[in-house]
Amino acid sequence: MRTLEAGRRHLLRFTLNGRPVEGWAEPRLLLSDFLRQELGATDGHVGCEHGVCGACTLRIDGRAVRACLMLAVQAEGCAVETVAGLGAADGGLDDLQAAFRRHHALQCGYCTPGILMSLTQLLVDEPDADGARIRDVLSGHLCRCTGYQGILRAAEEVFAARRRAGGEAKEGES
Amino acid sequence: MKPAPFDYARPDTVDEALDLLAEHGDGARILAGGQSLVAMLNMRLASPTVLVDISRLAPLRTIALDGGVLEVGAAVTQHELLTWPGLAAAQPLLALALPWVGHHQTRQRGTVCGSLAHADPSAELPLVLRHLDGSVVLRSRRGRRVLAAADFQTGMMTTALAADEMVVACRFPAAPAGGRVAFREVGQRHGDFAIVALAATARDGKVRLGVGGVAAVPATLDLPPLAGDALDDALNDFAWGLGAGDDIHATARYRRELVRRLGRRMVEEVARAHP
């Protein structure tokens, strides 16, 4: 049984964007604060701290979750992925990020890392997601700048483009 | 918005978790998905002395359909149940209600049993369990007991769970073949707490209407075949009997109106398939 005593800092380890990381945390430290304050990974944002706004959304073992509703200790041994882990192989933007830029899907950018992590998971888990499903998933994020239309356009374009690419790849095989 | 200090324990077995509950009693809280509890910790609405994390306990991560009962372990997430391939056939009301539980992102960690144990009056899963006459399986070092939904949820965010007990599973009766079900919810935004949530099912010519978000606990109304004014009267009596109150989201009058109007629409919807 893993036990951590209150009021003391304990060494925690997991992987962050594929690299092993470690740091010290009291049991009560939230994962969102551990990333920013202990690991210096400030690419994820913190908004409401009670699971409503979605700004801190990241991926744990492939699932898009709220970092403010997890204790740092709960990520022990997990694969944590943040927006800093996204991007194309050449170091540029990936297709989703590029579509966000093209469609003005961000203004202040505070909500953007969380939204990118949710959509990245959705592209993997549900490549056939339609506009209604994308809206449903985006309802877990508050964006006060854009009115969401640019975000929807960017997301729908990438889902469609990846489906086309998938279809062409299959035709190429046969 | 930071939790007060607590000890953290991640037991390797259910028995170890029960030992911790027996030792710490009221000071211990079970942490499963944490989608309600961690928010409450952040706001210091809860200040346990020890958190017992059961989210990685393999024996609690099972979904099983056996003998007409769908049993869901305490560490199964809402997303896992929603994407379980047999769900729509086994229990279509659950399949309809689960997409209304929180958001896609909170369902990734939030558990089915955790929502039942949290017992929020507006939560969908307690409504579905009550509507279907389901039950919860509780364990402590003293033993094991199974409580009907109506006996488990005793009030607003209050259950019959003893200080040394934990929910290990919940049981939803499987749907009878050919039944019709409906689920609706009215909230300010999708994913918000329900102002009113309604479930309807038809069985043996009778219709059951379930309502959450109005009274302190989910309520049900069993209706014989009714139409016209008789149905309106029955729904009006039911709506008034829920003891709705005004709050920042809606008035009592609005809630009664939703129960009457949406209730009627849903009763007619499920009854039509059973002439």
Side-chain angles (χ1 to χ4, degrees):
Chain A
M1 176 163 49
R2 175 79 157 130
T3 56
L4 273 63
E5 195 185 320
R8 295 185 52 188
R9 290 184 180 80
H10 308 262
L11 187 64
L12 306 181
R13 290 192 178 93
F14 52 79
T15 66
L16 178 62
N17 298 322
R19 292 204 318 274
V21 291
E22 60 178 43
W24 297 85
E26 283 186 53
R28 67 179 177 136
L29 191 67
L30 300 173
L31 178 59
S32 44
D33 289 336
F34 182 75
L35 287 166
R36 294 179 64 89
Q37 296 165 14
E38 179 67 10
L39 299 181
T42 54
D43 53 316
H45 293 163
V46 177
C48 71
E49 292 196 310
H50 63 292
V52 174
C53 78
C56 67
T57 302
L58 42 67
R59 293 208 300 167
I60 306 272
D61 293 339
R63 314 238 63 86
V65 304
R66 310 286 203 225
C68 74
L69 293 186
M70 270 187 81
L71 305 171
V73 61
Q74 290 185 287
E76 265 190 311
C78 295
V80 179
E81 293 165 275
T82 64
V83 73
L86 300 184
D90 64 3
L93 302 179
D94 71 12
D95 53 352
L96 184 63
Q97 292 169 313
F100 264 57
R101 172 188 272 179
R102 230 176 5 259
H103 290 280
H104 303 287
L106 65 152
Q107 186 174 318
C108 85
Y110 204 83
C111 66
T112 313
I115 291 178
L116 288 172
M117 298 317 287
S118 279
L119 290 174
T120 296
Q121 184 210 336
L122 196 66
L123 281 161
V124 174
D125 284 1
E126 302 176 34
D128 294 325
D130 59 11
R133 175 64 178 140
I134 295 169
R135 276 171 185 266
D136 180 42
V137 169
L138 286 175
S139 77
H141 294 274
L142 292 182
C143 172
R144 302 291 80 165
C145 299
T146 65
Y148 293 91
Q149 297 310 312
I151 301 172
L152 275 166
R153 277 195 294 273
E156 287 183 14
E157 183 183 282
V158 174
F159 273 86
R162 287 209 194 173
R163 277 196 289 267
R164 271 199 308 277
E168 282 161 14
K170 268 181 202 151
E171 275 174 27
E173 282 164 21
S174 57
Chain B
M1 293 297 282
K2 310 292 178 193
F6 49 77
D7 292 331
Y8 170 90
R10 188 164 61 223
D12 298 316
T13 65
V14 175
D15 284 336
E16 281 181 354
L18 298 179
D19 287 345
L20 288 164
L21 292 178
E23 184 186 338
H24 296 279
D26 273 337
R29 287 293 292 267
I30 294 287
L31 172 64
Q35 300 302 286
S36 299
L37 179 56
V38 177
M40 289 173 70
L41 294 173
N42 290 355
M43 293 187 270
R44 302 207 177 188
L45 295 171
S47 304
T49 53
V50 56
L51 277 188
V52 181
D53 184 355
I54 62 165
S55 61
R56 298 188 190 189
L57 285 179
L60 302 180
R61 299 194 55 84
T62 56
I63 301 171
L65 180 62
D66 190 19
V69 173
L70 180 66
E71 184 168 300
V72 181
V76 173
T77 66
Q78 294 144 10
H79 180 78
E80 284 164 349
L81 183 59
L82 181 55
T83 53
W84 188 62
L87 183 67
Q91 188 36 264
L93 184 61
L94 258 181
L96 286 182
L98 272 166
W100 291 94
V101 179
H103 293 285
H104 173 77
Q105 294 84 356
T106 60
R107 292 194 296 269
Q108 307 291 315
R109 284 192 71 81
T111 61
V112 177
C113 289
S115 176
L116 299 173
H118 186 58
D120 189 293
S122 64
E124 295 81 7
L125 289 166
L127 167 61
V128 171
L129 192 78
R130 173 71 188 88
H131 186 100
L132 298 172
D133 289 326
S135 57
V136 291
V137 184
L138 310 179
R139 273 192 64 190
S140 71
R141 238 166 43 178
R142 293 174 290 125
R144 184 174 165 281
R145 59 179 180 145
V146 179
L147 282 187
D151 298 326
F152 176 68
Q153 190 170 351
T154 53
M156 183 176 286
M157 303 178 102
T158 314
T159 67
L161 198 70
D164 65 342
E165 270 181 322
M166 63 178 276
V167 178
V168 291
C170 58
R171 294 175 173 171
F172 297 90
R180 255 310 259 264
V181 301
F183 189 90
R184 297 275 163 73
E185 186 169 313
V186 175
Q188 290 195 312
R189 289 168 296 258
H190 184 82
D192 278 11
F193 290 106
I195 292 171
V196 173
L198 298 115
T201 48
R203 180 159 53 183
D204 305 328
K206 285 186 182 170
V207 171
R208 171 172 279 194
L209 183 68
V211 173
V214 183
V217 297
T220 57
L221 172 69
D222 288 310
L223 288 163
L226 288 176
D229 289 349
L231 178 56
D232 284 338
D233 286 347
L235 288 169
N236 188 39
D237 288 346
F238 180 53
W240 277 98
L242 295 169
D246 296 333
D247 64 23
I248 192 172
H249 301 299
T251 60
R253 187 186 167 282
Y254 181 64
R255 288 190 162 89
R256 283 192 295 274
E257 188 70 357
L258 287 177
V259 172
R260 284 188 294 253
R261 293 205 179 211
L262 281 181
R264 170 152 191 143
R265 209 180 293 171
M266 290 169 67
V267 166
E268 289 174 345
E269 186 181 323
V270 296
R272 249 201 304 279
H274 286 260

